[in-house]
Structures are given as C-alpha cells and as structure tokens.
Amino acid sequence: MKLFIAALLSLLAGLAQANEAVIRKAIAERIPDFPKIDEIRPTPIPGLFEVRIGLDIFYSDPTGQYLLQDAQLVDLRTRANLTQARIDQLSQVNFASLPLKDAMVWKRGNGQRKIAVFSDPNCGFCKRLERTLQELNHVTVYTFLIPILGPDSNEKSRNVWCAKDSVDVWLDWMLRAKQPEKVTGKCDESAIQRNRAFARQHRMTGTPAILFEDGSRAPGALDLQALEERLKRAEGREGKGG
C-alpha cells in the first residue's frame, strides 16, 4: 500500500510539472510581454493551477489557454478565502530579519509586545495610525521611515532621522503637526535608503505597512480593536514557534 501511495504521489508530481511547463509555454507564446512567472502550482480544484507573479495571483487551466485575473478562490464549506490566505502567506516577513537599527523605537509599559510600522511623514493614514498606537499598552513600536510621497517626504524624513531625538521630533510632527527643524550639515541618512530598499523587496507599495511578530502584516491604519486582535494573534502564533 505504501509503495502504491508513493507511486501515485510521484505520478501526480510528474503531471503537475508537465502542466507547469505547458502553461508557461502557452502563456509566453500568447502574451509575449507577460511578466516573469515566479511559480505555478495546483490548487485544490482539479485542473486549476495557480500562476504567481510576486504577490499577484492568477489561475489557469492545464493548457494555458484560459487565464483568470483578479479572481478570488473561496472554499464554500469553510468560507475561507484561499486566494487571500495565499497572499497573506507569501507576504509574511520574518520579524527577526527586520533591520531594527534602522528604525526609531519607543515603548510603553513593559514593551513586551512588538510591532513594526513602515511610514511616510506626509501620509494621512500614517498619522491616524500613530494616534491609535499611543493607546496601546505594553508595546514596543519600531518605525521605519520610507518617504514615498515626494520630495517633501524625503526632506521631512531626513530632518526627523537626523534630529538629536528623532522619536520626539517624529511624534511632534505626526501627533501635533509641529514641523521638524531643518537639519544642516552632514548626516548619515543611509538608513532611509535601506528602509526603502527593504520595502521594495517585500512589495510594500503603500503606507502605513504594519508587521507583527508572527510574520503577518497588514496595510492601512488599523483601529485599536483590530490592532489588539492582531497583536494577540501574533503572541499566540509566536508562542507556538511561529
């Protein structure tokens, strides 16, 4: 029986590889400027294959003749959105891999819970999130500056990062609209460039982007209840080894 199962799994794997090659060839021939495909793999639906480009998910038949774009694959038994679950899995970032030396850090209470935020100083939703973060207890917040909204964001980020107390200047601006003082002279602002590179690498195209200890992430200005729920969920997963 074990030999039969092993042979069946081997056959299925071979078929999947054959389908992958067919799909790649067909899409390349029919859409020559189609972006580079990162991965093709079977879905729970027989004959339907996931075609992944970065975090973008498409679906194809085994011949590559039909391509579903902007589709959501839902398991109606559990009501689980399998497409979103896959995107969430792919977008995870190992919290331990974060370059914390390139972040501004503040904490409240015992600071036991940790959260990282990639933020632009001119982002309205970032300011809303910053106000909500002040309501959290027993948290350490790492803020990574990624100026993506234009030249003024670049200047403000430099003035914040290069200030004597960058956290105070940042909070003064985000919470109280107190303009950061212009920093003249030399300043090592390479951390900002590294932050932007890190954000591009992990396809963070908007701000704020929030990362939790379990590797999950969320876009946008979550409200207090949503933040607390995600922090509790992250604590539970992290406690189980991720």
Side-chain angles (χ1 to χ4, degrees), residues 18-90:
N19 287 130
E20 176 181 350
V22 170
I23 293 170
R24 284 183 184 275
K25 184 174 184 294
I27 292 177
E29 290 175 349
R30 290 165 179 158
I31 315 177
D33 58 347
F34 198 73
K36 180 180 179 297
I37 296 172
D38 292 313
E39 182 182 12
I40 296 177
R41 67 177 205 163
T43 72
I45 300 177
L48 187 67
F49 288 79
E50 174 193 298
V51 179
R52 181 176 68 83
I53 301 169
L55 297 182
D56 295 326
I57 303 294
F58 303 83
Y59 296 101
S60 171
D61 71 303
T63 69
Q65 180 176 353
Y66 301 101
L67 194 67
L68 295 176
Q69 184 176 358
D70 300 325
Q72 300 290 311
L73 186 60
V74 178
D75 185 335
L76 295 182
R77 294 173 304 171
T78 63
R79 301 301 176 92
N81 186 325
L82 302 184
T83 302
Q84 187 58 52
R86 177 71 170 140
I87 292 172
D88 290 345
Q89 178 193 41
L90 292 167

Side-chain angles (χ1 to χ4, degrees), residues 179-219:
Q179 285 278 352
E181 293 185 8
K182 185 174 181 61
V183 174
T184 58
K186 292 184 178 180
C187 167
D188 183 4
E189 54 189 289
S190 57
I192 298 173
Q193 305 306 321
R194 290 193 293 272
N195 291 346
R196 279 199 284 213
F198 188 91
R200 284 195 300 270
Q201 177 188 350
H202 294 281
R203 296 174 67 87
M204 299 179 197
T205 56
T207 55
I210 311 169
L211 304 181
F212 299 91
E213 283 188 274
D214 63 350
S216 66
R217 79 191 205 196

Side-chain angles (χ1 to χ4, degrees), residues 86-100:
R86 177 71 170 140
I87 292 172
D88 290 345
Q89 178 193 41
L90 292 167
S91 63
Q92 285 195 347
V93 178
N94 183 356
F95 202 89
S97 73
L98 290 173
L100 300 182

Side-chain angles (χ1 to χ4, degrees), residues 119-127 145-157 170 173-174 179-180 207:
S119 189
D120 182 296
N122 286 325
C123 161
F125 287 108
C126 299
K127 293 177 181 179
L145 290 168
I146 52 167
I148 60 175
L149 297 179
D152 186 66
S153 291
N154 289 325
E155 184 176 355
K156 278 193 175 74
S157 295
W170 172 254
W173 166 244
M174 299 298 279
Q179 285 278 352
T207 55

